[in-house]
Amino acid sequence: MGNIESLAYFIPELILTATVLAVLFADVLGGEREGFDPPANFAFVGCVAAFLAHFTLYSLPSTPLFNGILIHDPFGAFFKGFFIFCTGVTTAMVIVSREVARFKKGEFCVIILCVCIGMCLVAASRDLLMIYLSLELMSLGSYVMAGFSRKIGPSEEASLKFVLYGGVSTGIMLFGISLLYGLTGGTSFEAVRSALAGAGSGIEPIAFLALLMVLVGVGYKVAMVPFHFWAPDVYEGAPTAVTAFLSVASKGTGFALLIRFFFSVFMQPAEGGWATLAPLHFDWGLTIAVLSAITMTVGNIGAYPQTNLKRLLAYSGVAHAGYLLMGVSLMTSTGVEAVIFYLVMYLFTNMTAFFVILVVSESLGTERIAGFRGLWRGAPVAAFMMTLALFSLVGLPPTAGFVGKLYLFYAVLQQKLYWLAVIGVLNSVLSLYYYARIIKAMYLETSSETEPAVHSSPLAGLILIVMAAPVLYFGVFWNPLVEYARYCAHLMQ
Amino acid sequence: MTIGIEHYLVVSLVLFLLGLFIVVTHRNGVRILMGVELILNSANLNFVAFNRYMPDSALSGNVFAIFVIILAAAEAVVALAIVLAVYQQFSTIHMDEISNMKH
């Protein structure tokens, strides 16, 4: 499809781009004023408009866009909505909090909107060059966002670690892409795949090396072991709103890329899912399955000794990357469905948890578990929401986390990978202990000081309820979301 | 002796490994950045060399290399700005000395 016709499929991104310009102008012209700050509010309105616009995408047929460099299919449309929703929530968190200095909020919103456009492009890419460009658009913005906190020191340390190791991982990924280009002579997924399918078995070692190198770049984004070491430091140092954004949207980007890239370059459609291309004999599914088992175990064990909540949730995020990798390793459409369901559940759950941490830490000035002692007396609503989020992270009914895990394990058992399912269940049990420690601190322990008083605006309370309600709702009425995930698991090859 | 594709590949592989070696062994922020640049340039060399030896006359490898050069510059700008901010805060860019978070 040509450039002009493709624009009808590109409306969410166009709205985001227009919002970037509007925020930029509002920020430059507005100057530093007290009270109402237009730039951040513009950004929020733009996100809402783009999110509503993304619903029009579902009725359009799957087709390549912009002369084949991008693609439109339900899978891409889902991820666009996912990223725009995350961006909107993060913008709202920045508006209601004091973490980012007031006169920097406009600047921050410009960067996060650009990151969001980059993420949307990653999910729709169909070309090696486009993958690299959109991934860099997303990464460069994220590096800066991690350093935006008013608490200088940890935030800058986080930013530095993020940019240095992020640069290394994308460099290695680029080398892998250059090998793929050399092997096949093309940069579009189609050309690469048909060249790999037609090649002799002599290319296998190089193809496997290229695959592993690309996996380094993707693994860094999803915090997969052994490329997870940045996550604890960056999550702890970055502003809480940014941590929430990275833990959900950055992970989502990684999984969009993992599924899109590997399934359309190294696989071909088979009955009920995908199978590795004929000339390549390596067991890609098993590689990912082993990495998934290691990732969830390392994440859960790493979370045990943590006393800082953000750091604890960073390790918990590593563990959840492991659960999600389980779904990818199956190479079935049921697995992709389970991943999509789990990502939606993880979005609401994690955003709720980080939002509570944000509200409480702004009032009490601490992010440590010890600071949350006796929270239910000072802030019963916040304590309840946190408990709900933690229940969902463990996977206890009646929360969305339970249904998400159920679908994931169902998909694993369907492929008869019993060892992986056993490791997954054992890990869930293991994770119960450290999540329960937070609940215990909030309800059973008493603070040595006077009762912790949490002050929050009504707006913050409203956002918290909007984020937490789906956690409970999808835990009871999960059918619509399952249907939606089933529809969105359609990838166009 | 004629120079073939394999010579280019050996050079780019050496560059890549040198970059990786620098990244792994050094703890100075700017040195790690230099290692990253080496890795990016080794990939660039690959793209250009592969493009030269492709049977068809498409220039996609060269175009890719140009984009990588531009993005490497953008990445260096962001990274050096962050390094500068860290230096103002901690008066060092050694990765082990700026650690003030509890582990």
Side-chain angles (χ1 to χ4, degrees), chain A residues 62-84:
Chain A
S62 299
T63 172
L65 303 178
F66 296 104
N67 298 316
I69 201 162
L70 294 180
I71 196 168
H72 165 76
D73 56 8
F75 180 78
F78 161 74
F79 273 102
K80 281 178 190 175
F82 183 82
F83 299 138
I84 295 168

Side-chain angles (χ1 to χ4, degrees), chain A residues 140, chain B residues 37 40 67-80:
Chain A
L140 290 181
Chain B
E37 292 294 320
L40 292 178
F67 272 107
V68 175
I69 292 170
I70 296 165
L71 272 177
E75 187 160 345
V77 167
V78 170
L80 287 175

Side-chain angles (χ1 to χ4, degrees), chain A residues 129 132-133 136 152-153 156-157 159-160 164-165 167-168 171-172 174-175 178 181-182 185 213 233 236 311, chain B residues 16 23 27 36 39 42 46-47 50-51 54 60-61 64 68 71 75 82-83 86 89 98-101 103:
Chain A
L129 180 58
Y132 177 69
L133 288 179
E136 283 290 59
I152 42 177
E156 272 144 8
E157 182 191 341
S159 192
L160 183 66
L164 289 182
Y165 297 125
V168 176
I172 295 175
L174 185 69
F175 197 83
S178 77
Y181 169 70
M213 283 179 159
D233 287 344
E236 185 184 341
R311 217 177 162 80
Chain B
F16 177 77
V23 167
R27 305 294 295 156
V36 174
I39 293 177
S42 69
N46 263 358
F47 278 121
F50 282 136
N51 196 93
M54 283 295 164
S60 45
F64 213 126
V68 175
L71 272 177
E75 187 160 345
I82 293 171
V83 166
V86 167
Q89 185 65 28
I98 58 166
S99 201
N100 57 6
M101 282 187 252
H103 292 277

